[in-house]
């Protein structure tokens, strides 16, 4: 029988059949405390693709950390084909500070591919590319909304690439977004290297959201089955996701207190009042109206806004009712998902 190939991460060779946690050294703290990025490498006995799954590139985005912890408890990983590189905390410094950024205020996801002689963010990006991304055939990078913002579970990817579209569709979120490549992002860097990478966005920074966590775990397992790392299910449940035509933030027309009238996943109609903004004494009320028919795919949770602040991220779709239906089914499926925690 053909065997998988050994893989070398951070100077450690992991042979077929081995499961090893490698601690990749990152910049020490100035207290001279040393820090490392933990990577769990599962090298299957049988040959297959190499997949990386990463979280907390933004150090305050925690759902992905929990998704990877639950993934690593799955018994099925004992008999995978190929190799899994699981990196639950990429931005270790940001994670310690409960911050999106590195201590120099740089955004790691604008620092790829980085360099060995650059800023702390650039060095971390370089290490992650060299030790993880460059060794993988596929990648899944886990994110949440920013501080005080929630995202409806969604996949963002470069859908113009056939192999990427393929895994984006099997992940299982109701909505997929063909988003612009941002300079310096991990996705832009992987795209240039010709590697299919998905971004899973779900929930809010500094919070655990159970549905987002369950759906993220299911999604990774779906992709692993599709690319042959895990055996296919006998009766797979399929609900083809819908690709957004466009997405756009609705901004506060005035400053004040915000009372939202819709929730994440709700459908809205053009002209519908989706929030009211009032001043503290309550004698001024201004309606926020939906500029087009769509679904709320992102939302600010802060009841305060300055004029121009982003309040709702709306996705436009060919058929809004179909997406609304998918979102409802998705919530129901993951509400009573028997996945062990
Ligand atoms: Zn993020």
């Amino acid at each position: 029988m053909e065997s998988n190939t050994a893989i070398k991460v951070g100077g450690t060779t992991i042979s077929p059949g081995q499961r090893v946690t490698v601690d990749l050294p990152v910049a020490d703290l100035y207290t001279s405390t040393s820090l490392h990025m933990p990577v769990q490498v599962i090298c299957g006995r049988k040959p297959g693709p190499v997949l990386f799954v990463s979280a907390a590139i933004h150090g305050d985005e925690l759902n992905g950390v929990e998704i990877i912890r639950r993934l690593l408890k799955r018994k099925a990983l004992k008999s995978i084909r190929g190799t899994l590189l699981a990196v639950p905390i990429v931005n270790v410094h940001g994670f310690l500070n409960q911050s999106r950024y590195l201590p120099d205020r740089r955004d790691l996801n604008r620092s790829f591919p980085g360099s060995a002689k650059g800023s702390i963010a650039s060095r971390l990006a370089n290490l992650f590319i060299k030790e993880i991304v460059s060794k993988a055939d596929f990648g899944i990078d886990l994110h949440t909304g920013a501080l005080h913002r929630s995202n409806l579970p969604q996949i963002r990817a470069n859908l113009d690439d056939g192999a990427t579209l393929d895994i984006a569709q099997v992940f299982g979120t109701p909505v997929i977004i063909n988003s612009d490549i941002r300079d310096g992002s991990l996705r832009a860097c992987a795209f240039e290297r010709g590697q299919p990478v998905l971004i899973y966005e779900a929930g809010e920074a500094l919070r655990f959201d159970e549905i987002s966590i369950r759906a993220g775990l299911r999604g990774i397992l779906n992709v692993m089955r599709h690319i042959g790392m895990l055996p296919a299910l006998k009766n797979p449940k399929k609900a083809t996701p819908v690709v957004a035509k466009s997405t756009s933030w609705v901004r506060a027309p005035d400053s004040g207190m915000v009372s939202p009238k819709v929730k994440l996943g709700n459908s809205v109609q053009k002209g519908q009042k989706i929030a009211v903004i009032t001043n503290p004494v309550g004698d001024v009320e201004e309606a926020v109206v939906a500029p087009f028919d769509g679904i709320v795919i992102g939302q600010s949770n802060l009841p305060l806004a300055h004029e121009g602040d982003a309040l709702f991220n709306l996705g436009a779709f060919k058929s809004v009712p179909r997406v609304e239906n998918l979102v409802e089914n998705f919530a129901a499926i993951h509400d009573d998902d028997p996945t062990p925690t």
Side-chain angles (χ1 to χ4, degrees):
M1 191 185 72
E2 214 189 331
S3 172
N4 195 8
T5 29
I7 190 165
K8 200 169 175 181
V9 177
T12 302
T13 300
I14 300 98
S15 302
Q18 280 191 314
R19 179 172 183 156
V20 174
T21 301
V22 178
D23 290 331
L24 296 175
V26 296
D28 288 352
L29 297 181
Y30 43 60
T31 49
S32 85
T33 309
S34 56
L35 281 191
H36 59 259
M37 184 198 302
V39 181
Q40 186 151 116
V41 185
I42 303 179
C43 187
R45 288 181 199 283
K46 297 175 200 156
V50 178
L51 169 72
F52 80 81
V53 182
S54 55
I57 275 195
H58 291 133
D60 60 353
E61 300 184 359
L62 309 181
N63 280 336
V65 181
E66 175 66 4
I67 291 169
I68 294 180
R69 187 189 71 79
R70 293 189 195 181
L71 172 69
L72 292 174
K73 288 179 73 174
R74 303 288 293 196
K75 288 199 181 81
L77 296 189
K78 282 196 180 118
S79 48
I80 57 166
R81 300 184 73 103
T83 301
L84 176 68
L85 302 169
V87 193
I89 308 159
V90 179
N91 177 359
V92 184
H93 295 84
F95 190 75
L96 262 174
N97 292 326
Q98 299 176 13
S99 159
R100 178 181 180 89
Y101 304 105
L102 271 298
D104 64 355
R105 304 296 296 160
R106 278 190 172 84
D107 185 330
L108 179 58
N109 216 16
R110 303 286 177 274
S111 306
F112 287 98
S115 81
K117 298 261 180 248
S119 65
I120 182 171
S122 179
R123 288 172 194 224
L124 189 60
N126 174 64
L127 174 78
F128 188 63
I129 293 289
K130 193 168 78 121
E131 292 294 345
I132 307 296
V133 179
S134 68
K135 292 166 187 171
D137 304 304
F138 299 91
I140 303 173
D141 187 31
L142 308 169
H143 287 255
T144 75
L147 268 184
H148 308 307
R149 279 190 198 171
S150 293
N151 281 330
L152 184 74
Q154 57 196 261
I155 287 292
R156 296 183 186 172
N158 171 33
L159 306 179
D160 301 328
D161 173 62
T164 310
L165 175 64
D166 203 28
I167 54 171
Q169 283 180 322
V170 299
F171 195 95
T173 56
V175 170
I176 310 181
I177 293 158
N178 191 9
S179 56
D180 298 338
I181 292 280
R182 282 198 182 151
D183 263 359
S185 70
L186 170 63
R187 194 153 54 83
C189 183
F191 175 67
E192 274 169 27
R193 306 170 63 94
Q195 288 170 292
V197 168
L198 299 183
I199 307 299
Y200 174 65
E201 281 273 359
E204 182 183 358
L206 294 179
R207 299 280 182 272
F208 275 174
D209 176 67
E210 189 57 32
I211 295 224
S212 299
I213 291 167
R214 291 178 184 180
L217 175 57
R218 282 271 168 230
I220 295 168
L221 295 171
N222 287 343
V223 170
M224 289 179 77
R225 287 185 194 109
H226 187 75
I227 62 177
M229 295 179 79
L230 292 172
L233 288 180
K234 282 195 187 110
N235 301 305
K237 285 183 216 153
K238 270 199 186 147
T240 310
V242 182
V243 179
K245 282 197 294 183
S246 64
T247 65
S248 164
W249 278 95
V250 180
R251 295 183 176 276
D254 206 348
S255 302
M257 261 73 78
V258 184
S259 305
K261 304 292 174 203
V262 290
K263 287 194 278 199
L264 216 53
N266 283 172
S267 67
V268 299
Q269 287 182 321
K270 184 178 177 179
Q272 183 183 335
K273 192 199 285 184
I274 54 176
V276 174
I277 300 186
T278 57
N279 66 352
V281 289
D283 57 0
V284 178
E285 286 195 3
E286 186 157 0
V288 181
V289 294
F292 53 85
D293 291 2
I295 298 278
V296 181
I297 60 163
Q299 183 164 14
S300 165
N301 298 323
L302 197 66
L304 308 170
H306 283 123
E307 179 187 328
D309 279 349
L311 300 181
F312 301 94
N313 194 5
L314 291 189
F317 299 89
K318 235 190 216 157
S319 166
V320 169
R322 185 167 129 61
V323 183
E324 196 179 23
N325 210 333
L326 278 175
V327 170
E328 276 169 20
N329 289 343
F330 176 85
I333 291 166
H334 294 289
D335 225 5
D336 49 33
D337 187 337
T339 308
T341 58

